[in-house]
Amino acid sequence: MATRAETTGTAGSRYTRVAIWLHWLIGLAVIANIGLAMLTEDMPRETHRAAMDVHKALGIAVLGLTIVRILWRLGHKPPPLPTKTPAWQRLFAGVVHFLFYALLILLPLSGWVWMSAAGRPIDFFGVATIPTIVAANEGLADVMHDRHEVLGLAMLGLAAVHILAALKHQFVDRNGLMGRMNPI
């Protein structure tokens, strides 16, 4: 029988408030960015450009928030999974989390390198200009554009798996894992 903490996400089974808010801020920014990238393809040039400016700034924000989240995680151990979690699910969860962290770094970094190689500094919400990190290079820009799109599709797939797994835990297993990340 599961304990109250395992089924409700209370007591020591919850992530810290900082980890919870970073999770949701990053998650919402990633979903918004995927939406911006996909929905603006056929928009008029000026609308597309404005949406992509937001996309780029959000990408830099995701990179910064992810670095903060990694640093926070180094000092704050996540709560344990319920004791009855099968070994294969523990392994799968670990792999998915590792891939998320890798993509949360590589995806915005690839966009930053792409824009740098294309000779286009990134405007960060009108507050600052993010400097280029590589010299202008058309060949590198083309390669990074392709890599950025592949990483974006990988992020979309991984996010879908993550959301479906969370829903499975909530509505099929009813083991309270979603309560660990509840911001309320």
Side-chain angles (χ1 to χ4, degrees), residues 50 120-121 135 184:
R120 295 182 281 186
I184 300 170

PDB file of all heavy atoms in Angstrom, residues 50 120-121 135 184:
ATOM      1  N   ALA A  50       8.832  39.147 -36.223  1.00  0.00           N
ATOM      2  CA  ALA A  50       8.522  39.542 -34.840  1.00  0.00           C
ATOM      3  C   ALA A  50       8.360  38.307 -33.952  1.00  0.00           C
ATOM      4  O   ALA A  50       8.857  38.277 -32.818  1.00  0.00           O
ATOM      5  CB  ALA A  50       7.254  40.395 -34.808  1.00  0.00           C
ATOM      6  N   ARG A 120      23.685  37.526 -37.052  1.00  0.00           N
ATOM      7  CA  ARG A 120      22.502  38.187 -36.499  1.00  0.00           C
ATOM      8  C   ARG A 120      22.498  38.088 -34.974  1.00  0.00           C
ATOM      9  O   ARG A 120      22.104  37.062 -34.421  1.00  0.00           O
ATOM     10  CB  ARG A 120      21.231  37.567 -37.059  1.00  0.00           C
ATOM     11  CG  ARG A 120      21.099  37.792 -38.556  1.00  0.00           C
ATOM     12  CD  ARG A 120      19.820  37.213 -39.070  1.00  0.00           C
ATOM     13  NE  ARG A 120      19.997  35.760 -39.210  1.00  0.00           N
ATOM     14  CZ  ARG A 120      19.098  34.950 -39.742  1.00  0.00           C
ATOM     15  NH1 ARG A 120      17.953  35.424 -40.155  1.00  0.00           N
ATOM     16  NH2 ARG A 120      19.324  33.675 -39.851  1.00  0.00           N
ATOM     17  N   PRO A 121      22.913  39.149 -34.279  1.00  0.00           N
ATOM     18  CA  PRO A 121      22.817  39.130 -32.811  1.00  0.00           C
ATOM     19  C   PRO A 121      21.356  38.993 -32.379  1.00  0.00           C
ATOM     20  O   PRO A 121      20.444  39.338 -33.121  1.00  0.00           O
ATOM     21  CB  PRO A 121      23.371  40.492 -32.389  1.00  0.00           C
ATOM     22  CG  PRO A 121      24.079  41.024 -33.584  1.00  0.00           C
ATOM     23  CD  PRO A 121      23.446  40.398 -34.791  1.00  0.00           C
ATOM     24  N   ALA A 135      32.113  33.548 -35.253  1.00  0.00           N
ATOM     25  CA  ALA A 135      32.218  34.467 -36.382  1.00  0.00           C
ATOM     26  C   ALA A 135      31.195  34.091 -37.456  1.00  0.00           C
ATOM     27  O   ALA A 135      30.776  32.936 -37.546  1.00  0.00           O
ATOM     28  CB  ALA A 135      33.626  34.413 -36.965  1.00  0.00           C
ATOM     29  N   ILE A 184       1.025  24.611  -6.696  1.00  0.00           N
ATOM     30  CA  ILE A 184       0.084  25.200  -5.733  1.00  0.00           C
ATOM     31  C   ILE A 184       0.225  24.536  -4.378  1.00  0.00           C
ATOM     32  O   ILE A 184       0.369  23.382  -4.222  1.00  0.00           O
ATOM     33  CB  ILE A 184      -1.357  25.080  -6.248  1.00  0.00           C
ATOM     34  CG1 ILE A 184      -1.463  25.823  -7.580  1.00  0.00           C
ATOM     35  CG2 ILE A 184      -2.331  25.643  -5.244  1.00  0.00           C
ATOM     36  CD1 ILE A 184      -2.752  25.595  -8.312  1.00  0.00           C
TER      37      ILE A 184
END
